[in-house]
């Protein structure tokens, strides 16, 4: 996942997010680069860009607020959510999302749901009285992404440590899991199925 880093100056400090329960999708209702959103939100008196990610029509994905911080995109849900904004106005009749932007959106959702597997993906209008992300936004279609499976010992260990139980000796656990994988051991496949939430290896 190629996410273009930004180097924004913030109007104040950013708070760490306590939980991540939702990924909330927005449209910009207009066009422009990520810097213009940051400037606009600063003019609103905010700390800076309220979204964590901005996806342009050409498929480029930009970092907004740091991923682990509280956003400013959905009133009442900012402290427990990640905000993704798509360039364009998908309330406009016959608006069609470019393939490059659609593919980037699917890839980003697959990436984020790997990091936060218990997240629900919602639209801005699911929480507030707004049309966002627009009646022509391909919401149901974009949710049909292919989530990548975690296969490496380090990725599986990291997920286990984050979501299931504390691992004191990370490097030792990775080494044991790598050995189990090379031996096609049930230990490896048991943890593989757990972190990928599947009944059998795919």
């Amino acid at each position: 996942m190629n996410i273009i880093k930004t180097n924004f100056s913030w109007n104040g400090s950013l708070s760490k997010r306590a939980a991540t329960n939702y990924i909330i999708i927005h449209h910009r209702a207009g066009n422009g680069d990520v810097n213009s959103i940051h400037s606009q939100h600063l003019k609103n008196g905010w700390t800076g860009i309220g979204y964590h990610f901005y996806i342009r029509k050409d498929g480029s994905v930009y970092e907004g607020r740091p991923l682990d911080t509280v956003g400013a995109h959905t009133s009442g849900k900012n402290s427990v959510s990640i905000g993704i904004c798509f360039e364009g106005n998908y309330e406009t009749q016959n608006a069609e999302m470019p393939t490059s932007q659609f593919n980037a959106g699917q890839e980003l959702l697959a990436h984020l749901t790997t990091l936060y597997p218990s997240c629900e993906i919602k639209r801005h209008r699911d929480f507030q009285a707004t049309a966002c992300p627009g009646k022509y936004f391909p919401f149901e279609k974009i949710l049909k992404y292919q989530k990548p499976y975690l296969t490496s010992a380090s990725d599986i260990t990291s997920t286990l440590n984050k979501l299931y139980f504390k691992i004191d000796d990370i490097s030792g656990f990775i080494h044991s899991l790598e050995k189990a994988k090379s031996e096609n051991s049930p230990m490896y496949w048991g943890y593989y199925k757990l972190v990928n939430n599947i009944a059998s290896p795919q």
Side-chain angles (χ1 to χ4, degrees), residues 43-63:
K43 289 176 182 176
N44 290 347
W46 301 355
T47 309
I49 185 171
Y51 308 109
H52 295 91
F53 299 97
Y54 182 56
I55 305 177
R56 299 212 63 184
K57 289 183 175 180
D58 65 3
S60 52
V61 180
Y62 289 85
E63 177 186 67

Side-chain angles (χ1 to χ4, degrees), residues 129-144:
T130 174
C132 181
K135 68 176 74 171
Y136 300 105
F137 187 94
F139 182 70
E140 298 298 333
K141 186 178 178 183
I142 210 166
L143 292 186
K144 295 177 182 178

Side-chain angles (χ1 to χ4, degrees), residues 167-189:
I167 301 172
D168 294 321
D169 181 7
I170 297 289
S171 60
F173 194 94
I174 291 173
H175 177 74
S176 296
L177 203 56
E178 285 175 340
K179 186 172 185 292
K181 182 179 181 181
S182 68
E183 295 172 350
N184 199 28
S185 164
M187 173 193 170
Y188 170 79
W189 290 113

Side-chain angles (χ1 to χ4, degrees), residues 88-98 135-138:
N89 187 342
Y90 291 103
E91 183 65 12
T92 304
Q93 188 172 11
N94 299 323
E96 185 173 347
M97 182 175 289
K135 68 176 74 171
Y136 300 105
F137 187 94

